[in-house]
Amino acid sequence: MKTLAEAAGVVARPPAEVFERLVSKLGGGGHPMRMEVERARGFVAVQGGWWYRGEYRVTADPGGARVEHRVVNAASWGRWGVPVANRFFVGFRKEVSAGFGRLLAELGTPEWPRADFGA
């Protein structure tokens, strides 16, 4: 699998809480995705379409929880066509970085949007 974009940042909340918030957020998306969760490793991945795989890792950090994100080309066939289908990813890294920044801000909010989440 080829890495297409990476981003990382710190959320000022406990790692276990950030991880559960992340899993909840990724599981509630509007796109059909396969989800892989490994709580012991602080790892979650979502995969959808024919090429997209987003991987996240949450680890302890002196400032709270370090969240790392990686987008990879997981195509098992037609791998060569992924850049063409995505206009050679012009602006892709910038979009990933901006979206990840919004995600970090949301994960760090004192009041989580889901009322049923127990902090």
Side-chain angles (χ1 to χ4, degrees):
M1 289 189 275
K2 180 179 179 184
T3 299
L4 301 174
E6 295 180 291
V10 176
V11 176
R13 303 200 72 72
E17 179 182 325
V18 171
F19 183 78
E20 292 305 323
R21 287 180 174 200
L22 179 62
V23 169
S24 175
K25 172 79 175 161
L26 295 173
H31 303 287
M33 297 269 188
R34 190 177 83 233
M35 191 173 201
E36 177 184 328
V37 179
E38 295 179 30
R39 282 181 170 76
R41 290 182 43 215
F43 177 83
V44 60
V46 291
Q47 190 165 333
W50 62 286
W51 72 270
Y52 176 84
R53 180 175 171 90
E55 299 179 339
Y56 299 83
R57 187 170 315 280
V58 179
T59 56
D61 184 272
R66 178 174 174 78
V67 182
E68 299 172 354
H69 175 50
R70 183 170 84 128
V71 177
V72 297
N73 175 355
S76 58
W77 56 269
R79 183 179 303 268
W80 61 269
V82 173
V84 175
N86 290 282
R87 297 189 174 111
F88 296 98
F89 295 104
V90 172
F92 184 72
R93 286 189 175 115
K94 184 177 177 181
E95 289 176 26
V96 168
S97 182
F100 184 72
R102 289 188 298 273
L103 174 64
L104 289 181
E106 187 175 334
L107 292 174
T109 58
E111 297 299 321
W112 183 243
R114 290 199 38 192
D116 61 335
F117 180 83

